[in-house]
Every structure is written in structure tokens, then in C-alpha cells.
Amino acid sequence: MPENSLQSRIESRTLPTLHAFFAPGGILAKSPLPYEYRPGQLDMARAVERALEERRHLIVEAGTGTGKTLAYLLPALRTGRRVIISTGTKSLQDQLYLRDIPFLESLLGELRVCYMKGRANYLCRHKLVTLNAHPVLSGLEEIDQFHQIAEWEKITETGDRAELAGLPESSPLWSRLDARSEACLGSLCPDYQRCFVTEMRRKAQESDIVIVNHHLFFADLAVRQLAAGAPDAGVLPEAGAVIFDEAHDLEEVASNYFGISVSNLRFEDLARDTEAMLKKGESYASPENTAILVSSQQLRDRARLFFSQLPLASSGRQDGRQPFDNRQEFLEIHGDIYLSVKNTLVRLEVELDQLKGVDEAPGLKKRVAILRTELEFLLESTSNNMVYWLERRVSGGLHKQSRTTFLQATPIDVSGLMDEQLFQRFPTVVLTSATLTVQGSFEHIRGRLGLGADTSSARELVVPSHFKYQDQALLYLPPEMPDPRAPEFPEAAARCIQRVLEITRGRAFCLFTSYSQMRDLYERMLPVLDYPILLHGSAPRNVLLQQFRETPNAVLFGTASFWQGVDVQGEALSCVIIDRLPFAVPNDPVVAARMKFIEEAGGNPFFEYQVPSAVISLKQGFGRLIRSLEDRGVLVLLDPRIRQKRYGQAFLESLPPYRVTNTITDVQAFFRRVAVEAKL
């Protein structure tokens, strides 16, 4: 829909001013929600509205409890232009659409808002019809899942797999039925008008607000970049502004989607889908089909050989990430294997192009062409802004394991791409999060995301938290802890954790910077702790969180994904313990390449990259504790470097104004006071 027609449609509605909505005695004050006037919330809303009106960019750090969601939603609705709101997680996306939007509608009337996920979340009706006509299913479980999906398809209005509560997250059947773009027939599909993705796009075109997540937004941006502006390249509609909530994640997400990844699994899937197409044809034994079948089988065999020859890590580990900076040496030794894979892709592409009257052939040909182009880039590109690396993942149980190898290229510096593809494309981009500054400055996030040091490119605002951290939280830095790299650290950490948890009576998150460290402390604590312990990886994250909320005095041991996007309010979470300062692993191939890039430019990679990134991660981890004005709790950092090293001051000056102690008796006194207040 053209922007001018959308604008006239929105302006025909009457929406309240920001002051009328947020001020004391205003619409929000009269709502059913507990209300307390928050000057910072109104300040943020005014800053967002001004940025939208003046078509300027804006960076806002809004402390937890600010009410930032409403502070950007109302200005977005008032702007007169379509606005995309992108969240860091699907859970926040769900919260916006299922809780915040209905609340606003209860105050303002019906709103035109659309919720969009990536195509892999939606069922492809054409694939379902095709599989039903030519069922190739393995095992009773997959047959049962197929019948479940087929019955659900008759009643669902969205086609969103989230409605299928009984379908396992790892279901291989779903990947054969989803609507991902590489197998999409587009407008040629006989089910195009009934397509769930088509309907999703239609709703987006009719909406004032489109709610997405960062992964979908940057996947769409990357597709548009490759398609060089083709009008139907992406799924997201045109918009006059984008608001990123949880913007601290943007560099990592953008790096993934502006990079390239090719895996052995993609070759296996391509060969499988090609052979499935041939088997359902009426002339399976025709010369054309026979040639394609031979090429498909050769591609599978040659790809397996190619991936088996990729170098192993120097440590000999069968999983993990490692650099692949010796590509030229690899080609000198194994160039014939690489060329055999590439030539087979070329031949298969030609053969599929010559196959007429088969609906799936154009989509498969496109997949072959993309795979060939990406493989060529990964092995032959000379780009100086890419780091090339390998990752191996081992999954499955003891008796049945599968190994997936990823050959990857990631931008070392995404700032130029972000400037070109995001900040120059959209008149207004708003970045907001509770954790964007380091020592009160936006310099780090500006540099990493391409906004530069010139504040004229984007306005800045820091909105202090509404919480009373001096009263609500205590930061305990235990004295005489050894350096976390010392061999005696795990034993000392176990003693400290046990003592703190005895005081808090469990009710804690223990957050770790690596899985091995988490597992080691878990095994040390299991025989000595009297409280239920939940271990990251033993069940899906949402299941563990539900168990934590419902289990009295529970303790959860978690790694990366529990450091952010987790909201547990009330006394169930009364303590967060972090084992060490969350510095990125310096020998990780992407981290190492970025540090080298900064060093070669004359900078200090430790202070310019590692410290600021770790500060933001620590702020995120500690941010799990205080989620409401009623929350009370203790934060514990076991790493003594925050007090001993010069860079420790950057962490302390970036944290909220917690009261700090190194005395365990203060922790005991804190919880005695909390217990007394609870009885009053």
C-alpha cells in the first residue's frame, strides 16, 4: 500500500496526545493496571515521537521498569506511517501482540496490528497436499504427526506451528512441510491464494504496526540485498520507521544474516527433495529424470566426501568452532573434490532448467544456484571484511548421533552494512534496550552498528530505571576469591554458592559463561545442596522456566540463553549468582578476527571490544533479578577481577546503583529485613 494512502487512513482516527495518555490523571492512570506516574516513560515517548516526526534516528537506554513498550507503541501509532517493531525474542514478540496490544485496544479501540514470524513457522498447504498424495513417512511417530498436522490444517486460521502444542520442536516432518522460501512456488502455486504466507503479507499491508523479531527482520533485509531491490523479494511490507526493542542483540543477529553458511545437511536436503520430486512424476524412468537422479546421487556422495575432508580442530574435538583461514592450502590439496561438487551443482542446475511441466523444478533450480554461489564464495572469495570458519555440531543420543558441519563466512565489521542497508534505507530507526551504554556512553553501540561518533546522526536518551535499586538489591562481591582461571576457583566457587543459597533458601539463578563450567559446578553442588536443582539442557528452556516458577526454593543452573529475555517476578527468584565476568572467548574465530581488525586499525581490542561487550552482557545477566517494584534480591559475582583490575571500574560504573558489599553478614541481614517487610 502506498505510504500516502496509509497516512491518510491513520490520520482519520483520533489518538490521544502523549500527555493525555501518560500524565497523572490521564488515560493510563484510569486503566485497570496499577498506575504510578513515570516521568522517564513520558520523556521517552516524546523522544520517539520527535524522532518519527523529524525523520531522525534515536538511541534510548530505558532502564527496567520504565514502561518502554508503551512509550514507543503510542508514538508509533500516532506517526501516520507504517512502523515495524522488531523484538529480540519471540517471547517479547508474543508479549507485545498478545498482552500489550490488547491492553492498548481496551483503552483506544481497535488497532490495525499484524504479527509476523519467519516462513519456517508456517505450514505450506501445497507441500501437505503433495505429501498426502505421495506419502513418504518413516515410523509410526511421523505418521501420527502427519495426521495431526493434516487435521489441524482444516481449522487453523494462521498456519503457525506454535498452535501445534503436541508437535516436537525438532520434528523432521515439519521441515518438509513448512513454507520456507527456497522451495516456494510463489504465484505459480495452485494454493497461492490460500497460502498462509500470502495471507500474512496481506494483513501486513493493511496494518499500521507490524510486529516481527530481529531474526526475521534481518533475514528479510539480507534477501532484499541479494535480490538487488526486487519488489517481491522479502515478506515484510514497506515502512517509514523501524523500532528495535532489545537492540543490544543487533550486531550478532545482523552478522549471522549478512554472512553465509553452507552445511552438509543442505546438500542432503537438496538431494532428498530432488529425488522426491522425481518419484512422484508420471515418467519416473524418462531419460531426463534418470539424468537428474544420477546427478542428485552424485551430489550427495561428493558433498559427503568434501565435508569429510574439511580440517579438524587442532585439539582433535569433534564439535565446536574453529577458524578456516587456510582455504588456499585446502584447495591445493582437495581442489579436485571441491570442483567435483561445484561441477555437479552446475550440471544439476542445467538439467532442472530443462525439466518442463514440473511445479517444483524452478524452486529446486533456484536452490541449486544459491548453494553453488555460496559455496564458491566460501572457498574462493577474497573479501577482507569476512572471517571464514567451521563449526561442527553433534546431536542425538549415545547410540544414534548425527554430525552437522557448517562452513561459514561472517562479516568482521557490520557497521558499513548496517549504515547502508538499515540507517540509510529507513528515515527513522529507534534503538532501545535496558543495556546499551557503557559507563553512561553510547560510544560502543554506535561504533559497532554504524552510527558513528557524530551525535547528529542519531539522538541519544538515557531514561533511568523506575526501580529503587538501593533498597531492592544488594550486590555481594565475596572477598578472597581466586582468579577464575586458577585451578582452585571451582572449589572456592562451590563453597560460596552453597553458603549463599543456604541464606537465600534456594530461589536462585546460577549463571555461567560456558557449559563446561556450569556442568562442573552443578556436579559439585548436587550432593550438598538441599534444594531442587534444574539444569540447562535437561529440558526446553520454557519448560525449565515453568518448573522453576512452580517449584518452591528451586535453583536453576543456566548458560547463555538464560542471561537475557527471562522474566521471573516475585520471591521465586531472589538471587542471581554469576561465576565470572562474561568476556567473549578470545580464540573464537569471529571474536579473534574482530580483535585483530581493531588492533590493525591502531586500537586496543580488549578495551574497545571485549570490555564493553562484557559490560553489556553482565548488565543483562544481573537484569534478571529485579523485574518489578516489589522484587527484592541479592546479586553475587564470584569474579574478583571486578575489584582487582583497572577495567573492573568500567563494570561497576555501568551497573545500576546497587548497594555493594563484600561481607556475607550483609547478605544475611538483607534477607532478614526482607522477611520482616513481608510480614508487615
Side-chain angles (χ1 to χ4, degrees):
M1 178 178 293
E3 188 175 312
N4 57 356
S5 64
L6 176 68
Q7 182 169 350
S8 63
R9 182 162 57 81
I10 295 174
E11 289 178 345
S12 67
R13 305 182 60 209
T14 301
L15 290 172
T17 65
L18 302 182
H19 185 270
F21 186 84
F22 291 107
I27 294 172
L28 190 57
K30 297 173 183 176
S31 76
L33 287 184
Y35 173 78
E36 185 173 350
Y37 172 58
R38 307 175 195 183
Q41 185 180 42
L42 182 54
D43 289 344
M44 177 177 171
R46 285 172 171 159
V48 172
E49 183 157 272
R50 183 182 177 192
L52 291 165
E53 289 174 348
E54 298 180 357
R55 299 178 182 246
R56 294 277 301 275
H57 303 318
L58 173 69
I59 315 174
V60 184
E61 180 174 85
T64 309
T66 300
K68 69 178 185 300
T69 305
L70 293 180
Y72 62 66
L73 273 176
L74 185 59
L77 288 163
R78 286 173 43 83
T79 185
R81 290 177 285 156
R82 180 183 292 115
V83 177
I84 294 174
I85 295 176
S86 180
T87 68
T89 61
K90 287 183 182 179
S91 60
L92 180 54
Q93 194 181 3
D94 289 340
Q95 176 186 311
L96 273 170
Y97 188 69
L98 301 175
R99 191 182 76 183
D100 298 321
I101 292 299
F103 170 70
L104 270 179
E105 288 185 317
S106 71
L107 303 178
L108 306 177
E110 185 179 356
L111 303 172
R112 291 176 284 265
V113 180
C114 174
Y115 176 103
M116 299 180 77
K117 295 181 181 179
R119 297 179 63 121
N121 290 279
Y122 298 94
L123 175 69
C124 173
R125 279 182 155 138
H126 181 64
K127 287 183 181 178
L128 184 66
V129 170
T130 301
L131 190 58
N132 188 48
H134 303 275
V136 183
L137 301 169
S138 58
L140 292 176
E141 184 179 10
E142 198 163 279
I143 293 171
D144 180 64
Q145 289 176 11
F146 177 80
H147 289 307
Q148 180 186 349
I149 293 170
E151 290 301 311
W152 165 73
E153 182 271 338
K154 298 173 183 177
I155 59 172
T156 179
E157 295 182 1
T158 67
D160 184 350
R161 71 161 293 170
E163 297 175 2
L164 286 166
L167 187 70
E169 289 185 23
S170 58
S171 168
L173 176 62
W174 180 262
S175 64
R176 296 165 59 189
L177 293 172
D178 67 33
R180 66 189 68 198
S181 59
E182 61 262 27
C184 181
L185 302 177
S187 58
L188 299 176
C189 179
D191 292 294
Y192 180 73
Q193 292 303 324
R194 298 175 62 246
C195 172
F196 293 116
V197 174
T198 301
E199 180 60 23
M200 179 180 67
R201 278 175 158 167
R202 189 180 297 122
K203 287 181 180 177
Q205 292 290 349
E206 297 170 352
S207 297
D208 307 339
I209 300 289
V210 180
I211 300 173
V212 304
N213 56 66
H214 298 346
H215 290 274
L216 173 57
F217 182 87
F218 281 98
D220 193 80
L221 212 59
V223 167
R224 292 175 186 272
Q225 180 193 22
L226 289 172
D232 295 326
V235 296
L236 301 186
E238 293 300 316
V242 187
I243 297 173
F244 290 101
D245 201 341
E246 298 178 328
H248 56 275
D249 284 332
L250 287 190
E251 182 182 15
E252 180 180 354
V253 178
S255 296
N256 290 336
Y257 286 100
F258 287 136
I260 290 175
S261 176
V262 169
S263 70
N264 60 318
L265 199 57
R266 279 181 65 184
F267 282 91
E268 296 284 348
D269 288 347
L270 177 61
R272 181 202 65 205
D273 292 347
T274 301
E275 291 157 14
M277 174 197 69
L278 297 174
K279 287 177 182 177
K280 75 171 191 174
E282 295 179 0
S283 54
Y284 178 62
S286 69
E288 295 87 353
N289 284 9
T290 301
I292 294 173
L293 183 61
V294 169
S295 295
S296 175
Q297 292 170 343
Q298 286 181 346
L299 181 63
R300 178 187 280 112
D301 293 339
R302 291 171 181 178
R304 287 175 178 173
L305 180 60
F306 169 79
F307 279 94
S308 72
Q309 298 303 312
L310 291 171
L312 291 171
S314 56
S315 64
R317 284 186 55 179
Q318 297 294 312
D319 60 351
R321 295 155 62 117
Q322 68 184 84
F324 187 38
D325 45 19
N326 57 340
R327 291 178 303 145
Q328 188 58 43
E329 179 183 337
F330 176 83
L331 286 176
E332 289 174 1
I333 300 172
H334 302 292
D336 55 339
I337 300 174
Y338 162 63
L339 288 174
S340 72
V341 174
K342 188 167 79 166
N343 291 338
T344 306
L345 286 166
V346 171
R347 185 169 68 252
L348 184 57
E349 185 179 351
V350 171
E351 291 167 348
L352 287 168
D353 187 51
Q354 294 172 348
L355 190 63
K356 306 302 180 186
V358 180
D359 291 343
E360 290 85 357
L364 285 169
K365 177 197 167 190
K366 180 181 176 182
R367 286 170 65 182
V368 173
I370 292 172
L371 190 54
R372 174 180 52 79
T373 302
E374 292 182 346
L375 186 65
E376 286 176 350
F377 184 92
L378 287 162
L379 270 297
E380 301 178 35
S381 169
T382 57
S383 172
N384 293 325
N385 191 38
M386 286 285 182
V387 52
Y388 303 91
W389 54 288
L390 297 168
E391 181 177 13
R392 289 183 171 86
R393 299 177 192 168
V394 179
S395 58
L398 181 63
H399 301 293
K400 187 179 180 181
Q401 290 189 337
S402 62
R403 289 180 171 81
T404 305
T405 301
F406 297 85
L407 179 54
Q408 315 211 56
T410 301
I412 297 171
D413 181 6
V414 297
S415 60
L417 287 165
M418 292 286 281
D419 179 46
E420 177 187 341
Q421 299 294 325
L422 179 64
F423 296 114
Q424 290 186 32
R425 180 182 164 201
F426 291 93
T428 301
V429 176
V430 177
L431 309 177
T432 186
S433 170
T435 57
L436 290 177
T437 63
V438 177
Q439 293 178 282
S441 169
F442 290 102
E443 180 183 358
H444 174 69
I445 199 77
R446 279 182 167 276
R448 302 308 306 174
L449 296 185
L451 283 168
D454 183 4
T455 55
S456 65
S457 63
R459 289 198 177 94
E460 300 176 351
L461 176 67
V462 175
V463 181
S465 174
H466 191 56
F467 298 149
K468 301 170 184 176
Y469 285 112
Q470 286 280 358
D471 298 326
Q472 291 183 252
L474 176 69
L475 173 57
Y476 173 50
L477 304 176
E480 301 177 2
M481 284 293 295
D483 188 289
R485 296 161 292 187
E488 60 269 24
F489 178 80
E491 184 178 348
R495 288 197 302 269
C496 184
I497 291 172
Q498 182 180 359
R499 190 175 185 189
V500 169
L501 292 181
E502 287 170 352
I503 296 171
T504 66
R505 294 180 291 115
R507 304 183 298 164
F509 276 5
C510 296
L511 301 179
F512 299 86
T513 54
S514 79
Y515 185 85
S516 60
Q517 291 155 10
M518 175 192 74
R519 189 83 200 187
D520 179 42
L521 266 297
Y522 168 78
E523 290 174 354
R524 291 172 185 268
M525 300 304 301
L526 197 57
V528 299
L529 204 61
D530 292 331
Y531 304 111
I533 305 180
L534 305 173
L535 181 66
H536 185 183
S538 61
R541 189 177 83 149
N542 62 324
V543 173
L544 286 174
L545 282 173
Q546 190 64 26
Q547 290 176 348
F548 180 83
R549 293 186 179 102
E550 296 174 353
T551 306
N553 307 99
V555 179
L556 189 147
F557 279 56
T559 56
S561 66
F562 284 95
W563 284 65
Q564 58 181 321
V566 174
D567 190 357
V568 179
Q569 296 186 18
E571 66 174 17
L573 181 58
S574 299
C575 179
V576 170
I577 301 173
I578 290 178
D579 68 332
R580 61 186 71 195
L581 295 173
F583 289 114
V585 180
N587 60 357
D588 176 88
V590 177
V591 173
R594 288 178 172 163
M595 292 176 67
K596 182 180 179 183
F597 177 81
I598 294 170
E599 187 174 25
E600 289 177 346
N604 184 317
F606 182 71
F607 284 99
E608 293 177 27
Y609 179 64
Q610 281 196 291
V611 168
S613 297
V615 165
I616 289 173
S617 294
L618 184 66
K619 289 169 72 174
Q620 278 291 319
F622 277 164
R624 298 314 95 212
L625 183 65
I626 304 299
R627 309 298 298 175
S628 74
L629 283 167
E630 288 71 41
D631 286 347
R632 301 288 186 275
V634 167
L635 303 156
V636 182
L637 178 64
L638 303 178
D639 192 334
R641 293 175 295 179
I642 197 169
R643 282 283 183 84
Q644 296 171 353
K645 302 293 185 181
R646 179 166 61 95
Y647 57 75
Q649 199 62 28
F651 289 88
L652 291 171
E653 291 177 0
S654 301
L655 293 172
Y658 306 126
R659 188 159 58 91
V660 183
T661 183
N662 60 2
T663 306
I664 194 68
T665 53
D666 286 342
V667 177
Q668 295 169 323
F670 179 90
F671 280 102
R672 282 197 297 268
R673 179 170 63 85
V674 169
V676 170
E677 290 175 352
K679 295 176 182 178
L680 295 178

